[in-house]
Amino acid sequence: MDERKVGSLRLTLDFSQPLYEQILAQMRSLIARGAIDVGEKIPSVREMAHELKINPNTVMHAYQELERDGLTEKRRGQGTFVTESVTQIRHFKERLAFDYSDQFLDKMHSLGFRWTEIQSFLTTTREKKGER
Amino acid sequence: MSEQIISAKGLTKRYGGKTAVENLTLNVEKGRVLGMLGANGAGKSTFFRMIVGLVQPDDGHLEVLGKEPGWRTNAEIAYLPDRARWYGDYTTKQSIEWGARFLPGFDSEEAARLRDIMRLPMDLKAGEMSKGQEARLMLILCMARRVPLVILDEPFSGIDGSSREHIMDVLIDALSEKQQTLLISTHEIYEAEGLFDRVVFLDQGRVALSGDAESLRGQYGSIDALSRKLYREGEK
């Protein structure tokens, strides 16, 4: 695992996993949790490729997906920016939260746990991790 | 479908009783980076020499930039041969001037920019350069050309760590600024790991494994680790 800085952002790349998915997942999180601000410019494809030492095609592919998510917008001759729409980011975040919850519940159900048990697992885990 | 830069079908080349390349079929699309990987003598250099018309295949069909390989296609290819040497009495400056005069598509401004990145003294003669400096000089002559196809045979060999990073920067620019197609052979995969779109592992002239770099990563882990695994198995 390599941690690399791109402008003010920190990204981690693990060359044993597809790179496209890692960039996409990390950029999504950075935008969703506000580490990159609403309306802020994100690093250019070229800058990102140079700092991560990877193929610009891979970065471009991830950037296209961010745009499809509605998280970013390209502005002609200026670069790519995080959307100005707070609602859009919130919608994306909620959609992702539902996906994660869904996957988690599916896994717990496949082990045969019921809701009350799942709840107690959540409470215990949260206590172990310390409240965040 | 994107424009095909290389289209090879059933390429075979034998030297006496030894098969250098056997039944090689592959396509490379515009703007892609193909990594040709494998041990010494696996057939990588033979394949590159076929593309620039230095070696005639015994069998199979090869199209480069939509044409048969020859002097016409070579004007559109920047080729760095394996273990290339340069004229010993040429300084960096004279070599770049030579390039501007004789190499098709040579961009002198780009050469100056690359020389800055590669930190090569202008008045140093090739004969007095270290192996790494000479390799960097030849790389500048290749990468300063505005041509659609760039072929680099072992561009990292004998080059120290910080120069390798500079080379990576130059290659990334070739893709993002110039939309060039790159064919790179190397057995030092770690440095170039993130650059490949597609990889072909050759073993004794045959394709041992090939595929999209990202899918291979998802399936087997890093290309570097995969290569070491394949290579170890080959030794058994």
Side-chain angles (χ1 to χ4, degrees):
Chain A
M1 291 263 232
D2 269 0
E3 196 185 74
R4 306 192 190 189
K5 267 184 91 163
V6 186
S8 60
L9 309 177
R10 278 171 200 283
L11 283 95
T12 330
L13 274 195
D14 172 2
F15 280 108
S16 68
Q17 302 286 332
L19 306 176
Y20 153 79
E21 286 166 19
Q22 297 176 56
I23 296 168
L24 180 58
Q26 290 176 54
M27 288 302 286
R28 276 173 169 170
S29 311
L30 287 167
I31 296 170
R33 67 165 187 265
I36 314 176
D37 232 332
V38 171
E40 200 182 316
K41 190 173 192 244
I42 65 171
S44 68
V45 169
R46 179 171 181 267
E47 190 185 354
M48 187 72 102
H50 274 288
E51 297 304 325
L52 301 178
K53 301 277 175 224
I54 64 169
N55 192 318
N57 295 331
T58 311
V59 179
M60 191 143 33
H61 188 185
Y63 274 23
Q64 283 165 349
E65 202 55 37
L66 287 176
E67 216 179 326
R68 247 175 304 214
D69 289 338
L71 291 177
T72 60
E73 303 161 351
K74 242 192 257 157
R75 283 183 217 154
R76 244 180 134 178
Q78 292 181 66
T80 305
F81 295 77
V82 173
T83 174
E84 301 274 359
S85 159
V86 180
T87 332
Q88 210 146 337
I89 296 176
R90 204 186 58 227
H91 280 163
F92 175 81
K93 225 169 141 169
E94 281 168 5
R95 210 176 70 212
L96 217 57
F98 277 123
D99 280 350
Y100 292 164
S101 312
D102 194 53
Q103 286 166 21
F104 168 72
L105 284 181
D106 278 350
K107 280 183 191 161
M108 294 306 267
H109 287 149
S110 79
L111 295 173
F113 289 117
R114 291 169 187 286
W115 176 233
T116 45
E117 293 167 305
I118 296 171
Q119 274 179 312
S120 83
F121 273 113
L122 281 174
T123 315
T124 318
T125 310
R126 183 163 163 248
E127 278 161 8
K128 268 193 202 154
K129 287 191 112 161
E131 228 166 293
R132 274 205 276 178
Chain B
M1 206 168 80
S2 307
E3 193 185 327
Q4 296 286 346
I5 299 296
I6 305 278
S7 168
K9 232 186 233 163
L11 283 186
T12 299
K13 180 69 192 176
R14 295 177 205 92
Y15 291 107
K18 196 184 168 294
T19 306
V21 169
E22 190 175 336
N23 199 20
L24 179 67
T25 296
L26 67 92
N27 294 308
V28 184
E29 289 175 2
K30 187 177 184 222
R32 297 290 167 189
V33 184
L34 175 75
M36 291 293 283
L37 312 176
N40 282 326
K44 299 169 291 184
S45 300
T46 305
F47 175 59
F48 288 166
R49 288 189 199 115
M50 285 189 213
I51 295 172
V52 292
L54 289 172
V55 165
Q56 299 299 319
D58 295 324
D59 224 327
H61 183 73
L62 177 62
E63 246 181 42
V64 178
L65 300 158
K67 299 177 207 93
E68 222 175 274
W71 63 270
R72 272 190 198 83
T73 50
N74 283 353
E76 297 184 83
I77 302 174
Y79 170 49
L80 178 72
D82 188 16
R83 285 168 293 175
R85 300 302 307 267
W86 190 243
Y87 305 106
D89 54 347
Y90 273 58
T91 62
T92 305
K93 187 165 178 278
Q94 289 167 330
S95 306
I96 290 176
E97 285 165 1
W98 183 92
R101 200 169 312 150
F102 295 111
L103 296 174
F106 195 86
D107 179 339
S108 299
E109 268 176 43
E110 177 65 1
R113 190 185 75 90
L114 297 177
R115 194 201 61 87
D116 275 350
I117 297 177
M118 301 282 198
R119 287 170 205 169
L120 211 53
M122 264 302 198
D123 295 317
L124 188 63
K125 285 186 174 173
E128 288 154 13
M129 289 180 183
S130 69
K131 199 179 165 220
Q133 284 174 321
E134 191 178 359
R136 274 180 277 160
L137 173 61
M138 301 207 56
L139 202 69
I140 291 170
L141 295 175
C142 258
M143 301 308 294
R145 293 179 59 192
R146 304 229 167 238
V147 288
L149 176 60
V150 177
I151 301 176
L152 307 173
D153 202 352
E154 295 291 346
F156 298 105
S157 77
I159 289 185
D160 63 79
S162 77
S163 301
R164 285 180 186 196
E165 284 199 13
H166 296 321
I167 294 176
M168 279 295 283
D169 283 335
V170 170
L171 297 181
I172 290 168
D173 275 341
L175 296 164
S176 69
E177 310 291 295
K178 300 185 237 173
Q179 281 87 45
Q180 287 173 317
T181 303
L182 305 182
L183 311 190
I184 302 172
S185 80
T186 179
H187 38 292
E188 279 128 306
I189 299 168
Y190 184 74
E191 263 76 20
E193 170 86 47
L195 202 63
F196 305 128
D197 282 298
R198 283 196 56 202
V199 292
V200 172
F201 288 99
L202 286 181
D203 185 27
Q204 297 174 18
R206 279 183 224 162
V207 176
L209 183 68
S210 80
D212 175 71
E214 289 279 84
S215 323
L216 290 175
R217 247 176 231 128
Q219 221 175 327
Y220 302 100
S222 77
I223 304 300
D224 190 32
L226 175 58
S227 156
R228 275 182 274 131
K229 186 167 166 266
L230 281 174
Y231 193 52
R232 264 203 309 275
E233 275 173 13
E235 279 179 341
K236 275 180 205 160

